[in-house]
Amino acid sequence: MALKTIGTYEFPSRSRQELYGEDMLVHVWWKDNPMFCAAATFRAPQAMSWADFRAAIVDPWASSDPDYDASHDFSWGLDGQPFTPEPGTSLADLGIGHKHTVSFWG
Amino acid sequence: MTATPTRPARKLSMKARYSALTRDLDWEPSYVSSAEMFPYTSFEGIKIHDWSKWEDPFRLTVDAYYKYQAEKDKRLYAVLDGFAQSQGHLSLSQASYLNAMKIFLGGVTPLEYQAHRNFAFLSRHFNGPGPRFAALCQSQDEIRHAQTEIHTLSNYNKYYSGMHSFLKQHDRVWYMSVPKSYFDDALSAGPFEFLIAIGFSFEYLLTNLLFVPFMSGASFNGDLPTMTFGFSAQSDESRHMTLGLEAIKFLLEQDEDNVPIVQEWVDKWFWRGYRVAAIVAQMLDYMLPKPVMSWKEAFELYFEKQMLEGLFPDLEYYGIKPPRHVQQAIDEKEALSHFVYWVFYNFSFAANFTTSIPSTEHQAWLAENYPDTFVEYFQKPRWDKAQRIVDNGGRFFFMGLPQLCQVCQIPMTFPEPGDLNTICQRTSDYNGEHFNLCSDGCKWIFDREPEKYVQAWLPVHQIYQGNCGGPTVPDVLAWYGMQEGDGGEIAGSRDEVNWAAWHGTPAAKEA
Amino acid sequence: MNDPATRMVSVDLQENEENRAVIEAIEADNPDVSVRHMPGVVKIEAPGRLVIKRESVEERLGRDWETHEFQMAIITLAGNITEWDDDEIVLAWNARR
């Protein structure tokens, strides 16, 4: 339904991708670990490789849980679909978009 | 001037006084049209045919209003003085009790002020004198609440952490954006939607959950001033509830076309208010060292019994159904407080209050009050592990920033319907952009008015845009106005150390 | 459940010395009430209808009491205020006004 207003009502999104330059926001959700109350939000370059994203961003966060083992073979998902991250491929080329959610479990 | 004094006329009855002092002060505009004088009461599509049909069951007049409000304030300020003079803060159940009041001061008090502003606006802009006068009284009440809350808590601010910058923090701190954005949503709506949002959905359906069981908890935990301001405010609240109920019935009776509009507002604002009330749920269940009533019991008593079983059958007559998504709220009552306190346990390093693993006795109380959920879903997978981490010399914190819901702005922690082990995630794409929502309720609200919610000032996104003082946690905390000792873990916190010193007991070991 | 004669109406009052007279008056004038005590609060419920009468309160208080004073006692309510005049306050459920 159209918003009922007293005048023209057009405002840009306060979280649109262009506000992050060459970067974007990526959500990472450790699905079967209830210690993390929610998925995390990170800012990362769209051109960052998956391996760098993992090592520089995901691992330090997941290590909040002392039981985290970075070498464990996790299953991965992207927006609820199965997903196979390639270490050398960029986040953008893997199809990860601004504010989309990568999940892992197992 | 007459020479012979006459006997004063017999006092008017309440009805006659109300009519003379309220309705009789209205006039028909002659220099401008009614539409020019009241420009905001038509664009929402609400049709009003006869403003005089508005009833005020309280039959309040300005003299009676100020007389009783003054009396309420006199009583409250006598309590505040006596409590301060007698070092009453030392008789609280625990210093950690005040964590709840730190949330209250930054989260609720500024909303009272905003309510004051918008009811003042309504008291100018409604066409009818009945609702204008009721809105005027409520506007005055709301500023009284803001003032009395600040005065009440200022005494604690002399001795305890986390209360010194509440106004700045209301505008900046991540979790404060939940109540702030809720109210901003209402303030930026039209006058009738505001009335249903705040007057009906918040005041009538939900404030009991904040002000009655929690203030009873304040009484039980030795916080005489908060109990007194809470009940003093709530005595006004019963008038506000009556106004809210009057408002919805008035709109429904004026024109059948109003019914579907009002229904959507009830649907939207129930869910918006319910999500904000999640913060109250954890105050009741986790932050009172001596709990009095669980969220679940309060929800059953004040919402399910009084509203769903009491009020909604009345509204059914007009064609109003219980709020969409209400079943999800009912289903969540067993789990809501546990999820939200766990969020705060994850993130209190960035808050103006402290958290800790509930004591053994407190966990037993939680298990007793939540026999179907606490032990299996919260104690074993979360608290037991948090305790193991503490036993090994650590403290679990979420070392990152959480995914936030675009509508309620709460970290996306809530469960999938029927599955407490899985976080609910919903998404919407609008104008080529991807948005994340915590529930079917928030998604429904987003999809209905995406133009509005794309403007959300989500704290996490703002931090990443560089708008919150800098890129590191200390930068952001400095921008929040946090001081050393405001947040973190209860054990070893400044409040706990001071409390032990004042009571002559050794402080607990630092975690 | 939809019968307005049996749906519960209620008032929550501050539990203090002055309100004792009000609480006792309500109990005397409404035979079916149930009373629940919580710290600082007393919750009074009745099926369908609940009345607060000025004369009954005055009798117990030993002084004049105007019904406006009820605003000092009340914390919250469930039900419609269907009457509030100089002599009594009535709470009830009913759709039509």
Side-chain angles (χ1 to χ4, degrees), chain B residues 334-351:
Chain B
E334 298 271 359
L336 185 71
S337 65
H338 312 295
F339 280 113
V340 178
Y341 190 72
W342 184 251
V343 171
F344 284 155
Y345 185 82
N346 273 217
F347 286 106
S348 63
F349 65 88

Side-chain angles (χ1 to χ4, degrees), chain A residues 85-96:
Chain A
E86 300 291 338
T89 310
S90 73
L91 300 178
D93 289 344
L94 284 167
I96 300 171

Side-chain angles (χ1 to χ4, degrees), chain B residues 14 57 59 68 208 216 231 234-235 241 245-246 249 253 297 302 305-306 309-310 314 317-318, chain C residues 7 10 12 36 39 41 43 45 66 69 71 74-77 80 83-84 86 94-97:
Chain B
M14 266 175 78
R59 300 216 170 99
Y68 286 105
N208 282 332
S216 184
F231 289 152
Q234 191 64 26
S235 69
M241 288 172 68
L245 185 56
E246 201 47 45
K249 290 193 169 179
E253 284 175 357
E297 188 183 359
Y302 287 101
K305 189 172 176 190
Q306 294 191 177
E309 292 171 25
D314 259 23
Y317 167 83
Y318 301 100
Chain C
R7 269 187 277 146
S10 75
D12 292 21
R36 172 177 176 165
V41 184
K43 185 173 191 60
E45 280 188 315
E66 54 179 45
E69 282 187 62
Q71 291 183 61
I74 188 170
I75 295 169
T76 186
L77 75 167
N80 298 304
E83 190 53 79
W84 189 318
D86 301 276
N94 65 333
R96 291 220 79 129
R97 305 192 292 193

Side-chain angles (χ1 to χ4, degrees), chain B residues 370-418:
Chain B
Y370 294 95
D372 298 333
T373 53
F374 178 70
V375 172
E376 184 182 348
Y377 295 99
F378 301 100
Q379 185 180 56
K380 286 181 183 163
R382 292 178 172 83
W383 296 116
D384 286 354
K385 180 159 174 175
Q387 185 62 53
R388 281 205 303 281
I389 294 172
V390 168
D391 292 344
N392 290 325
R395 165 59 156 96
F396 181 81
F397 284 121
F398 186 119
M399 294 190 290
L401 303 176
Q403 181 181 29
L404 301 179
C405 173
Q406 187 75 23
V407 169
C408 71
Q409 308 203 5
I410 298 176
M412 289 186 28
T413 196
F414 297 106
E416 193 62 59

Side-chain angles (χ1 to χ4, degrees), chain B residues 1-196:
Chain B
M1 235 196 320
T2 54
T4 48
T6 53
R7 284 172 61 84
R10 202 180 120 70
K11 208 172 136 191
L12 292 174
S13 73
M14 266 175 78
K15 272 180 202 170
R17 224 165 40 237
Y18 173 71
S19 175
L21 288 173
T22 306
R23 302 302 173 91
D24 281 5
L25 298 179
D26 194 33
W27 71 92
E28 287 294 323
S30 53
Y31 303 145
V32 293
S33 70
S34 182
E36 285 173 291
M37 187 154 149
F38 302 109
Y40 300 120
T41 44
S42 56
F43 77 91
E44 295 175 272
I46 291 289
K47 295 172 186 162
I48 305 294
H49 305 287
D50 184 357
W51 283 91
S52 76
K53 288 285 191 285
W54 178 283
E55 300 274 348
D56 177 5
F58 272 75
R59 300 216 170 99
L60 203 55
T61 52
V62 81
D63 56 332
Y65 174 73
Y66 283 107
K67 177 179 162 186
Y68 286 105
Q69 296 307 99
E71 184 60 29
K72 287 176 188 178
D73 267 11
K74 273 184 218 155
R75 292 186 187 184
L76 171 63
Y77 282 87
V79 167
L80 299 190
D81 263 0
F83 190 81
Q85 194 177 4
S86 68
Q87 302 298 307
H89 75 94
L90 294 174
S91 58
L92 293 174
S93 57
Q94 278 291 328
S96 66
Y97 158 80
L98 288 171
N99 284 319
M101 299 319 297
K102 294 170 189 179
I103 293 177
F104 189 100
L105 181 63
V108 177
T109 302
L111 304 189
E112 307 269 20
Y113 182 73
Q114 297 293 2
H116 152 70
R117 289 181 59 215
N118 213 70
F119 276 103
F121 174 86
L122 299 188
S123 75
R124 157 65 182 84
H125 282 290
F126 278 137
N127 307 51
R132 279 207 304 271
F133 183 69
L136 178 68
C137 290
Q138 183 156 353
S139 172
Q140 292 293 296
D141 291 338
E142 302 291 2
I143 200 162
R144 184 178 90 87
H145 299 174
Q147 290 170 344
T148 55
E149 286 160 17
I150 294 165
H151 286 148
T152 299
L153 294 170
S154 68
N155 178 50
Y156 292 121
N157 181 45
K158 292 177 190 168
Y159 305 100
Y160 299 89
S161 311
M163 298 183 174
H164 46 82
S165 303
F166 74 96
L167 273 179
K168 179 194 270 188
Q169 293 184 356
H170 180 71
D171 290 335
R172 298 186 175 191
V173 174
W174 59 278
Y175 78 91
M176 295 290 188
S177 80
V178 174
K180 180 185 166 72
S181 61
Y182 162 79
F183 223 88
D184 284 353
D185 193 351
L187 290 172
S188 52
F192 291 114
E193 183 176 347
F194 180 86
L195 203 58
I196 297 299

Side-chain angles (χ1 to χ4, degrees), chain C residues 20-22 24-25 28-29 55-63:
Chain C
R20 205 149 57 107
V22 180
E24 285 175 8
D29 292 330
E55 278 188 356
S56 306
V57 177
E58 288 181 340
E59 213 171 275
R60 287 164 179 80
L61 209 53
R63 64 165 174 84

